[in-house]
């Protein structure tokens, strides 16, 4: 069908011959296994660069912050799936990851895009970040777009993970440029939407990662990798102490059917 | 429906109140974020215990060894899926993980079960590991079961990752008990199946992890977590330099249709 | 790498040229669209043959019987997934299908294999089906294998769908050979396991489908296709009237944490 | 956490008591199994209404039109997944469905939204459909949005399935209101984008389904259900005649690695 270059697949991640597996330019066996942590290897795989010490510290901190938060919907989906299909652990992990979409974990990426726009606006137009944040937020409001990474259904204060992630970034000497932007957004939100919304963990993650040089395009990969670790822990527990069907049972104890029923339905059979 | 304890879900992984998220007994913000690597956190999440230095070294080494090996089928499936559904990164990761089943990455777990049986047989009956290996392999052969983790379609020698993983385990002082069992299996295979099959990476992973105290039940989680990192790298590259549809195009260049066709099919329209 | 025939993919399902799409030997536009029902097309796609009227009736009946049964775990998983990732309907359907594994819907296939073994044993050895059923069930028991498709956690009577499916098969003149085998199994179970277990819908489906000539190898596809229809209905309802997060909330109302907590956890902050 | 109505899940699809399963108000065993085709049951499940004869004809035609088109990327992904994880058929189906996203099959839904906007604009403002189509297309162009369902990488003519679907709708007496809109869009495209783009099957499907009263919100479910049937056919063939690994092998025969390699890589070992 199509002819030409676009039909030849290319990659810069990995190649191998009979003796050597090359990943991002390094010999996997000689240079990587036993010499690099999994976190640094993830950074190398995704970006092509090894992280400096600050980038390692920040990436580890975000992965730890977001890996686990109890029986969230995606964990419930994964445990129910394993209970129903125990031979296919990979299917239960996949079911859990499928719930890591725009509403839940995807906000890390969309908040990152918001911060990048503010950064670019401030740089291009020589504005201070509060003015740039206000301008970009007004554009979001005009287009009816939600502000990703701010507010929480319950907490009026910031999620405690936010302060801790900012502390880690500060302590390891990572750039705080996007932390400053994230806080400028928090300050300007009341002027745009008429009420205060505090930074949540989905905004704190891109704020520290972008400062550490992690690419915008790969931001959503961080919560996905982190949640895989949490899902594997839950599925290991599910094999030992099943909860999947119990969750399903509990979930429907107050279920209400609001459709019609045939005549005689629910009456005792005589 | 069902009444009683089994319908109350339980967990020992995570709980939280308004101020504190508790994971495996520790305060996530105070004790974990910024204080523990992602690898150690994965170990803590799955096992409830923090790893010692040797267990960290071995777990990192196995995660790095298995994360990436080029355009394997699951990577191709993931990249084609992202090309067709670019709005749903989580779907492309899930598609890739769904190919981490019994044939490909599941061998880590089944090889681990083989080694555990040999270990238990040797311990219970006071046998040396070669005799125990021979006895268990004969049972596998009698039941028509394949020996997981040995042999490779191309390589007659061992995969180079095997030696490197064993070297890491030795260097960090981790127990080599299961490495010894894995090598006893390699020695006894010719007596059982009549030809030599060398240890591959799917046997080396459980050999070093079981020695480091990683639980048998969680073995399959290691390649799943590792491959998630590789998949995210490939999907990040796919956004920048698309290969998914090119792979699909190339895959079918020599496709042969061996069904019937209607009269006139393939003839030029006049 | 590998050379030779096995590396050339082949298919007998579909081919096309610029003007014509050929499916199973027929011109899709001229011969199929508008001329064949989706049920018959599914049969043609899977088997290469158009069903006769009895096979259509039986296949429709099984698809209708198994498509929907309320908020079962896979439906809950799908609705939670859509709530968390509403942009990716395909991901929510996939999450639901991932729970159609060995424990839940896979029993249709494994029960079909049981019936086929009994059929073959009876044919090969000239036994009546009760004797063949008894012999095969004893082998299952000796190997510690569960008998798939019999018994129900609640009902001591047969599931009402069983009688209805058998009635449909009888009314349309489909072969009842495997219905007879399924009932022979029901009669022989007490002699093997010491108590009565009634036929459930997972055994009734292969009993009628095998009689109608549907291939054993494709049996598991029937509940998967059927459930896709039910999942799409639930996900359409989820868009209109959200239940996913409510299910997740309800599921954990009685959740018990049985791990340790740090000192001071759960006490009011002063 | 949240209290109140929103935390009680509700549904109008299915309920049951010990004797009766009720689906959309009907008794599953008495009124549906053996009395309704799977296509009509799908319509009932999704919409709450039984289709009239025209709606059945149109829905069958669209399901048949879109179920199968050879080794498309999602079929390749599914077959590779089954080859790697043959124990989990549901995982391979799920992997295939995950590629039914915005680029490939999602266009049915987005084209449907386009037609609905034109219909509403024409109705609300008393415009003829060509003027309404032009106005809406100009809005799409102004916002940089692609026009979904028109054009094809290869064909300059219409996909042959388009004419056939329109013919079926006409023959069964279904409303052609949205077919007329779809053709008005085709006529107005040159005025907006400066070149001609022909209707493809992703626009024809919503054109006929909306006319038959199928709800906009459920449009994407039609290709998902249809493709599940095609995927099951391919996966059944994969069990009989494996192609998954051959596809993967072929896909990378011309793969180019454009990253760096360590010194000595690819040279013969002495």
């Amino acid at each position: 069908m199509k002819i030409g270059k676009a039909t030849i697949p290319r990659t810069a991640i990995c190649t191998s011959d009979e003796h050597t597996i090359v990943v991002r330019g390094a010999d996997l066996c000689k240079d990587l296994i036993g010499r690099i942590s999994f976190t640094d290897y993830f950074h190398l795989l995704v970006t092509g660069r090894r992280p400096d010490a600050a980038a390692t510290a920040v990436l580890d901190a975000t992965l730890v912050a977001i890996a686990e938060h109890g029986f969230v919907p995606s964990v419930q989906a994964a445990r129910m799936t394993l209970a129903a299909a125990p031979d296919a652990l990979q299917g239960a992990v996949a079911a859990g990851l499928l719930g890591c979409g725009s509403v839940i974990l995807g906000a890390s990426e969309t908040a990152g895009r918001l911060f990048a726009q503010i950064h670019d606006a401030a740089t291009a137009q020589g504005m201070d970040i509060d003015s740039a944040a206000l301008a970009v937020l007004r554009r979001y409001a005009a287009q009816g777009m939600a502000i990703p990474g701010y507010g929480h259904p319950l907490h009026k204060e910031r999620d405690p993970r936010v302060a801790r992630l900012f502390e880690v970034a500060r302590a390891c000497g990572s750039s705080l440029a996007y932390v400053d932007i994230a806080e400028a957004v928090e300050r300007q939100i009341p002027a745009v939407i008429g009420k205060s919304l505090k930074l949540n963990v989905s905004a704190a993650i891109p704020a520290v990662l972008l400062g550490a040089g992690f690419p915008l395009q790969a931001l959503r990969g961080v919560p996905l990798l982190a949640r895989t670790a949490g899902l594997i822990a839950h599925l290991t527990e599910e094999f030992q102490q099943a909860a999947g069907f119990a969750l399903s049972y509990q979930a429907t104890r107050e279920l209400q059917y609001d459709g019609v029923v045939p005549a005689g339905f629910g009456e005792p059979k005589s």
Side-chain angles (χ1 to χ4, degrees), chain A:
Chain A
M1 280 213 264
K2 284 182 275 176
I3 305 293
K5 268 193 168 172
T7 60
I8 306 290
R10 292 164 184 276
T11 184
I13 297 175
C14 180
T15 190
S16 57
D17 67 9
E18 204 185 337
H19 307 286
T20 310
I21 300 166
V22 175
V23 179
R24 291 297 194 184
D27 180 324
L28 176 61
C29 290
K30 280 196 203 145
D31 304 330
L32 297 171
I33 298 173
R35 303 196 195 286
I36 190 171
S37 74
F38 181 55
T39 300
D40 286 1
Y41 190 53
F42 174 57
H43 192 286
L44 175 65
L45 277 168
V46 169
T47 69
R49 292 176 288 108
R50 291 174 191 238
D52 59 22
T56 299
V58 164
L59 183 53
D60 265 327
T62 55
L63 288 165
V64 170
I66 201 74
E68 170 59 22
H69 197 343
F71 274 46
V72 294
S74 60
V75 165
Q76 293 187 29
R79 293 187 74 144
M80 288 181 194
T81 302
L82 191 71
D87 302 332
L89 177 62
Q90 74 277 12
V93 175
L97 289 181
L98 289 168
C100 298
S102 53
V103 169
I104 302 288
L105 294 178
S108 284
E109 186 193 16
T110 45
R113 295 197 184 283
L114 169 65
F115 301 158
Q117 285 177 42
I118 293 169
H119 183 268
D120 292 353
T123 308
Q125 299 165 36
M127 293 161 86
D128 65 275
I129 54 171
D130 277 88
S131 307
L134 185 60
V136 172
L137 289 175
R138 289 214 161 115
R139 197 169 358 131
Y140 270 57
Q143 297 178 0
M145 290 166 65
I147 302 169
Y150 290 80
H152 192 277
L154 285 186
H155 299 284
K156 296 298 167 210
E157 304 161 54
R158 281 185 184 174
D159 182 311
R161 291 172 289 181
V162 173
R164 184 65 190 126
L165 284 172
F166 289 179
E167 214 173 273
V168 170
R170 198 168 289 118
C172 69
S174 181
S175 161
L176 301 177
Y178 291 89
V179 170
D180 294 341
I181 288 172
E183 298 194 318
V185 168
E186 196 182 54
R187 280 192 299 273
Q188 298 303 326
I189 279 177
V192 178
I193 66 162
K195 65 174 176 176
S196 171
L197 288 178
K198 296 300 179 190
L199 262 161
N200 66 37
V201 73
S202 287
I205 285 173
V208 298
L209 283 173
L210 291 173
F214 199 82
L216 185 57
Q217 291 77 11
L219 277 180
R220 198 188 279 196
V222 173
L224 285 171
L225 181 64
R227 281 296 159 106
T228 304
L231 286 165
I232 290 166
H234 275 283
L235 295 169
T236 303
E237 187 181 65
E238 182 71 20
F239 279 126
Q240 295 157 357
Q241 175 177 290
F245 287 149
L247 288 165
S248 173
Y249 165 73
Q250 291 286 337
T252 54
R253 283 179 58 194
E254 303 201 24
L255 178 66
Q256 295 185 2
Y257 175 73
D258 53 15
V260 296
V261 294
F265 177 77
E267 291 168 15
K269 300 267 166 176
S270 55

